[in-house]
Amino acid sequence: KSKQAVYLIPMPLFFIFALIATSVFAQAPSRAEKRAAKVREEYLKATEGIHVPTIRADSLKVHINDTDLVLVDVRQPNEQMVSMLPHALTPYEFSQKFKSGFPKGKNVVAYCTIGHRSGLYAQQLEVRDIPVRNLEGGILAWTHVSGILERDSAGIKVPTKKVHVYADDMKNWIALDYEAVWPEQNNY
């Protein structure tokens, strides 16, 4: 009996130590994870009531060079001047390119800053029976998967890490290695 008692005492101590150790060594979310979570939270708020198929940024990144993919950047020209996803068209370019009909087998991914405007645009395309998905979290989510961005420099596409946002607090939503640009800065 005394041997059993000796073994029973250390076992509860071991579990207490294990519980303390896991709580002490458990990692809190990183700054990057908190920023990505904020984008997700804001996307869900911004697209409440918008019901269209979506695509996550990590899935889009895998298919970014697919020739059957048509990206449409529905942001304003001043936003597009800062950066765009590779191969993206503006809504006007899209309407001109496909004015005689949208080919079977192609798919549209619409995006904006967070997903609201592109969700509304996607609804318009759905009515016309054009296969479309809304990029969840928009260009902000794209930064969290280290997605490539380009800007036009005298007709040549050059890489950039700048992203147009609308307010100072939105600079805390993009990935850490990207730079937020907003209208008051005029640093396009």
Side-chain angles (χ1 to χ4, degrees):
K1 285 186 177 181
S2 63
K3 282 188 177 182
Q4 288 178 338
V6 171
Y7 289 112
L8 290 177
I9 293 171
M11 206 52 130
L13 290 175
F14 172 77
F15 286 120
I16 291 170
F17 174 75
L19 183 62
I20 292 169
T22 54
S23 65
V24 168
F25 297 112
Q27 291 184 341
S30 68
R31 275 181 64 205
E33 290 168 332
K34 287 178 184 175
R35 286 175 174 234
K38 180 67 173 172
V39 169
R40 179 77 180 150
E41 174 188 331
E42 294 298 327
Y43 164 75
L44 292 172
K45 285 185 208 172
T47 58
E48 190 174 333
I50 298 174
H51 304 288
V52 293
T54 62
I55 187 169
R56 290 172 30 147
D58 55 350
S59 295
L60 176 59
K61 189 175 180 184
V62 171
H63 300 287
I64 194 69
N65 291 316
D66 185 340
T67 57
D68 290 329
L69 177 68
V70 180
L71 291 171
V72 182
D73 183 340
V74 305
R75 299 174 306 147
Q76 295 298 310
N78 64 321
E79 297 170 87
Q80 295 165 346
M81 282 177 25
V82 176
S83 61
M84 293 176 74
L85 274 67
H87 319 295
L89 303 174
T90 66
Y92 176 76
E93 292 168 332
F94 178 82
S95 67
Q96 292 303 299
K97 186 171 184 171
F98 300 109
K99 64 183 166 190
S100 59
F102 193 75
K104 289 194 182 298
K106 291 201 178 279
N107 296 288
V108 174
V109 172
Y111 74 92
C112 61
T113 304
I114 194 76
H116 177 77
R117 292 174 288 171
S118 52
L120 296 174
Y121 182 79
Q123 285 179 328
Q124 294 172 6
L125 294 184
E126 271 193 327
V127 170
R128 295 171 40 203
D129 292 324
I130 295 175
V132 61
R133 293 187 178 277
N134 187 21
L135 178 58
E136 293 180 12
I139 200 168
L140 298 177
W142 184 247
T143 69
H144 287 280
V145 297
S146 301
I148 296 170
L149 294 173
E150 299 175 336
R151 68 175 177 82
D152 190 289
S153 178
I156 299 169
K157 299 289 183 185
V158 295
T160 185
K161 290 283 192 163
K162 292 185 178 186
V163 179
H164 185 282
V165 296
Y166 282 101
D168 186 39
D169 68 321
M170 291 179 84
K171 72 182 179 191
N172 298 316
W173 301 0
I174 65 171
L176 293 167
D177 55 338
Y178 289 77
E179 179 186 347
V181 175
W182 57 96
E184 295 79 36
Q185 283 187 311
N186 292 322
N187 64 348
Y188 300 4

